[in-house]
Amino acid sequence: MDSLSNFKLPKQSAKISFMRVGTISAKILVVDDNETNIEIITHILLSAGYEIAVAYDGEYALELLEALDFDLILLDILLPGISGLEAAKQILNHNQKKDTPIIFLSALNETSDIVRGLNAGAVDYISKPFQEEEVLARIRNQLRIRDLEKEKNRLIQAINNDLDLAKANQQNLVSYHFPPSPAYQIYSSYTPMDKIGGDLITYDLLVNGDLDILFGDVTGHGIAAAMVSLMAIITFKTMNKSFMSPSECMTWIHNTLGPMISSHFISGVYLRYNPENKLISYSMAGHHPIFLIRRDQILKLGTKGFCLMMFPQLQIENEEMILESGDKLFLFSDGMFEVPNKEDHYMGESAFEGIVKKYLELGGESFLKNVQSEVLEYANGMIADDMTMLLLEIN
C-alpha cells in the first residue's frame, strides 16, 4: 500500500491534506465539508495513532480512492456536489474498493439517510457531535472485522490451494486412461461432488495379460474420503496380485487399511478379465450390481459381502463367467442413482436402469455422456454425490 505522506496531489486537489502521527495502525479516509468536524475527528484519530487523509467533498474522496488504498472510510452523508450516499454507492460498486468498510458521519436528524446508507452497504454510523470513546470503539470494531475477513479469505485461499494440489495428486492416481488392447476398450467418467472426491477407479495389467480393475466408493465426501480413496489405490497398486483371486485381493486391501481407518467404509468391485479366454472373475464388497449389457438386455452381476472396513472380518465371495464378443460391463457409483430432483424425490436404481436402457446401442464415451446428461437433467444440474462410471467393452 502506498504511503499517504508520499502521495503528491494535483493543484486542483488543494483541499485535501494528509497527516500521520506515531505508529501506523490503519489508513483512514475522512470525508466531511465542515472544518470543525474535521478538526475534531482528525485530533481523535491522530491521537490514537491512525494515519489519515482528509477530503472536503465527494469528488476528491473518489479521486483519492483511485490513487490509494484505505482500511476504512469515514463519510459524511451531506456533502457538496456528490452526496455521501452517492459516493458510497460508487465506492461499493468499485471492484477494487468495494470491500473497504464505510462508516457514515451523521447528525441526529438524518435517520432516514442513515437507513438508506446502511441498506446500500455501509457498515455503521457515528452521530454528531462526536464522542471520542464512541468514535474509537466503532472504528476499532470495524477494523477488527476487516482483519478477521482478510484472515478468513487468506485461510480460504490456502484451503483452495491445498484442495487444488490434492485434486492434482488424486487425478494422477485415479485412472482415466487405460491400456490399449485388441481384446477390449475401457472408458471411464469421474465427476466429484467437491473439488476432490471419495470414488476410485484404478487398474493393473498383470504379467500374464490379465487386467485387474478396482472400482469403489468411500463413504463421505471431501478431503477425508479422498485420503481413504488414495490409500486404497496405493494399496492396490503395490500389492502382489498374481497368485490371488479377486476376493483374496479385496481381503488384502481390507486387512491392510482396516487397522488405520475407523471412520470410513469402502463399497467396491474387484474385476479381473482374462482376454484370452474371455473370462471375467469378480468380487464385490457391499456394492450394488454390475450391469452386463448383452445385445438389448441388461443382466445384473453381483456377489454377497459387506463393505471393506465395516467389520473386522471380511466375508465376500468370488464369481466367474465367460463373456461374449460385444458384451459391455457397466460399473457405476451410487451417485448415479441416489439423485434428488427439485421436489427432493430420489431417482433410485430402477429409474436409473430405465435411463441406461435408452442408450444400450451406444458405446464408449457417447454412452457415458448420455447417461450422465440425463441423470443431471433429472437432478436439475445439481451433483449430490460423486458420479463415477466405467464401461468395459469386449471385442
Side-chain angles (χ1 to χ4, degrees):
M1 186 183 295
D2 296 328
S3 171
L4 297 182
S5 58
N6 295 328
F7 181 69
K8 304 300 183 182
L9 292 175
K11 292 181 180 179
Q12 65 267 30
S13 300
K15 291 184 180 180
I16 309 175
S17 58
F18 300 92
M19 290 158 278
R20 181 176 66 192
V21 172
T23 303
I24 301 173
S25 57
K27 294 175 171 25
I28 300 176
L29 173 60
V30 181
V31 189
D32 198 315
D33 64 326
N34 186 294
E35 291 194 11
T36 301
N37 291 336
I38 288 292
E39 289 178 5
I40 295 172
I41 201 77
T42 55
H43 173 75
I44 293 172
L45 297 180
L46 289 171
S47 298
Y50 293 114
E51 182 177 5
I52 65 171
V54 175
Y56 291 91
D57 57 48
E59 288 89 344
Y60 290 151
L62 294 174
E63 182 180 329
L64 255 185
L65 282 164
E66 284 293 338
L68 298 170
D69 292 331
F70 292 93
D71 298 298
L72 184 74
I73 302 169
L74 299 180
L75 181 61
D76 188 24
I77 291 179
L78 299 177
L79 291 172
I82 298 177
S83 70
L85 290 172
E86 177 59 29
K89 181 178 179 181
Q90 292 190 36
I91 294 167
L92 294 169
N93 287 330
H94 193 294
N95 286 335
Q96 281 74 46
K97 310 297 180 180
K98 63 183 179 181
D99 294 326
T100 307
I102 299 172
I103 297 179
F104 274 127
L105 307 177
S106 69
L108 292 177
N109 60 354
E110 296 170 354
T111 303
S112 62
D113 286 334
I114 292 172
V115 172
R116 289 168 60 197
L118 293 174
N119 288 336
V123 295
D124 203 351
Y125 70 93
I126 298 173
S127 298
K128 305 172 187 177
F130 301 126
Q131 304 296 320
E132 182 173 351
E133 290 185 358
E134 179 192 0
V135 169
L136 294 178
R138 290 183 184 273
I139 288 174
R140 282 194 297 266
N141 183 54
Q142 293 305 323
L143 291 175
R144 184 163 51 248
I145 291 172
R146 178 175 174 130
D147 288 343
L148 290 172
E149 186 70 18
K150 285 182 176 179
E151 179 64 11
K152 182 195 76 174
N153 292 337
R154 186 191 67 79
L155 291 173
I156 289 174
Q157 185 60 50
I159 291 170
N160 283 330
N161 291 340
D162 287 344
L163 286 173
D164 288 338
L165 181 60
K167 180 179 180 181
N169 289 334
Q170 186 179 42
Q171 287 178 334
N172 289 333
L173 289 172
V174 175
S175 298
Y176 298 94
H177 304 288
F178 295 84
S181 171
Y184 54 79
Q185 281 82 41
I186 304 175
Y187 305 88
S188 65
S189 172
Y190 179 57
T191 306
M193 177 183 176
D194 301 312
K195 279 194 173 184
I196 54 177
D199 287 2
L200 61 99
I201 309 173
T202 189
Y203 76 92
D204 195 9
L205 195 58
L206 306 188
V207 176
N208 66 354
D210 287 357
L211 175 71
D212 279 21
I213 295 175
L214 178 64
F215 184 97
D217 180 2
V218 179
T219 54
H221 308 287
I223 296 175
M227 288 287 292
V228 176
S229 173
L230 293 177
M231 291 172 69
I233 292 171
I234 292 170
T235 303
F236 170 85
K237 290 285 190 180
T238 56
M239 63 191 286
N240 185 355
K241 314 169 188 66
S242 300
F243 302 102
M244 293 192 291
S245 67
S247 60
E248 290 170 334
C249 289
M250 286 282 250
T251 301
W252 181 279
I253 295 171
H254 169 86
N255 291 338
T256 301
L257 298 184
M260 297 182 283
I261 299 170
S262 59
S263 57
H264 291 80
F265 311 139
I266 300 177
S267 67
V269 179
Y270 197 113
L271 287 179
R272 175 170 294 156
Y273 181 57
N274 178 284
E276 182 177 354
N277 300 309
K278 286 189 169 60
L279 175 67
I280 188 79
S281 53
Y282 57 94
S283 183
M284 304 173 71
H287 204 276
H288 48 266
I290 304 168
F291 284 2
L292 169 59
I293 301 172
R294 178 167 287 172
R295 292 177 286 278
D296 58 350
Q297 294 184 331
I298 293 178
L299 307 177
K300 296 180 182 180
L301 309 181
T303 65
K304 295 179 181 179
F306 293 105
C307 294
L308 303 183
M309 285 97 71
M310 180 174 283
F311 301 108
Q313 298 296 321
L314 183 66
Q315 296 182 346
I316 54 176
E317 302 172 346
N318 212 71
E319 294 288 346
E320 295 182 347
M321 73 174 299
I322 301 295
L323 298 180
E324 301 176 3
S325 296
D327 281 350
K328 293 180 282 191
L329 285 177
F330 180 41
L331 287 71
F332 49 92
S333 66
D334 57 10
M336 298 302 302
F337 58 83
E338 291 181 356
V339 179
N341 60 14
K342 58 184 178 181
E343 286 82 28
D344 209 30
H345 296 148
Y346 279 76
M347 174 181 289
E349 291 184 61
S350 178
F352 177 71
E353 182 178 349
I355 291 175
V356 173
K357 286 180 177 179
K358 294 181 182 180
Y359 304 107
L360 294 182
E361 75 282 359
L362 299 180
E365 293 182 0
S366 178
F367 171 82
L368 298 180
K369 286 180 179 178
N370 276 276
V371 170
Q372 177 155 322
S373 177
E374 187 153 342
V375 170
L376 288 174
E377 182 179 351
Y378 177 89
N380 201 31
M382 298 296 294
I383 299 176
D385 195 358
D386 299 339
M387 303 176 72
T388 309
M389 297 179 287
L390 181 140
L391 187 68
L392 170 62
E393 296 183 343
I394 308 302
N395 292 340

